[in-house]
Amino acid sequence: MTNATSSTPSGQPLGISHKPSPTETMFDEFKAADKPAFIGYLPYGFPDPDYSLKAFRTMVEHGVNAVEIGLPYSDPVMDGPVIQAASQIAIDNGEKNANVFKAVETVANAGGVPLVMSYWNLIFHYGVERFARDFENAGGAGLITPDLIPDEAGEWIEASDRHGLDRIFLVSPDSTEDRLKVVADNARGFVYAAARMGVTGERSTIDASPKELVARTRKAGAKNVCVGIGVSTAEQGARVGSYADGVIVGSALVHTMLDESGKHAVDEATGLKALAEKTEELAEGIHNARN
């Protein structure tokens, strides 16, 4: 029988990865330069699998530092109408969750930090250990789980520890101090601070509550706190970037690849051009937030 406590040459127990977090390394570099990171979201497979790989590469080439690769889901609880529409297009055009690791490899090869954002049901049915293994092998950094709380994440915490993957949990303005501490204690990489209650989507204004939430989350022990939900302009990105470690943008990027009806994707050349321009605009605002 194998001794469960047998050790590696470094003296660490087998079964636990101690490799550094690429996400935390990214934040360390940005903090040294006194800049916030830009995290961009797109659903994998939107508008179709090949087109989406080009979109992920375009985002990194034009200023996104870490990419949230969304796993489209037929029954989302957090996504607003823009992301819901894009996800449905992806599903209709043959997106397969098992192929998302191509997107992870694409982002990594382009020089970005690959993150996956997924509802827990999809990971559970894929197999938690299997997902962690395949995600690590593809060069993935971490998983954002909007509907999984640390209290119910034991299997994922164990698997992510084994494979050296980040665990990114969410907090919101109504999170209690105790809840913030539980999240901060169990997170790895960063804590995702939802700027407001409700679903994702572009907003004309962002109120002061995210700044207070970031301060409270840091006080609870979080090393890195990023703000998402509602950031859609360079001005908003700069405002949030003045106090957050990272700024998360989703719907505003997805929107560039939808037509005026919001129900159909534009052609590839048009979509990638618009995505590149929007990414550059946001990156300039976010990265220069503290100048």
Side-chain angles (χ1 to χ4, degrees), residues 137-156:
N137 289 341
L143 178 65
I144 302 166
T145 51
D147 61 344
L148 182 70
I149 59 175
D151 321 57
E152 300 172 357
E155 188 176 5
W156 169 236

Side-chain angles (χ1 to χ4, degrees), residues 34-35 38 53 66 84 122 149 153 155 209 222 229 245 257:
D34 194 26
K35 292 178 180 289
F38 178 12
L53 297 183
Q84 282 189 38
L122 297 175
I149 59 175
E155 188 176 5
S209 62
I229 303 184
D245 298 300
M257 299 164 68

Side-chain angles (χ1 to χ4, degrees), residues 154-240:
E155 188 176 5
W156 169 236
I157 289 172
E158 291 179 8
S160 57
D161 278 344
R162 278 194 296 273
H163 294 276
L165 298 167
D166 292 332
R167 297 182 294 271
I168 299 151
F169 298 110
L170 274 69
V171 296
S172 69
D174 71 341
S175 296
T176 64
E177 308 309 315
D178 287 345
R179 171 55 44 185
L180 293 176
K181 187 172 189 325
V182 168
V183 169
D185 287 347
N186 287 280
R188 182 179 189 263
F190 67 93
V191 171
Y192 187 130
R196 56 183 171 75
M197 297 300 294
V199 298
T200 60
E202 297 165 275
R203 289 291 180 274
S204 58
T205 60
I206 293 179
D207 62 26
S209 62
K211 185 174 184 179
E212 180 183 351
L213 178 58
V214 169
R216 291 174 59 219
T217 308
R218 286 190 180 128
K219 186 176 180 182
K223 181 179 177 183
N224 302 302
V225 186
C226 301
V227 172
I229 303 184
V231 175
S232 55
T233 68
E235 181 184 3
Q236 290 172 351
R239 191 176 313 128
V240 173

Side-chain angles (χ1 to χ4, degrees), residues 44-46 49 70-72 87 90-100:
Y44 168 66
F46 167 71
L71 281 185
S87 295
I91 292 169
D92 292 344
N93 287 343
E95 173 271 338
K96 301 293 183 187
N97 290 331
N99 292 332
V100 74

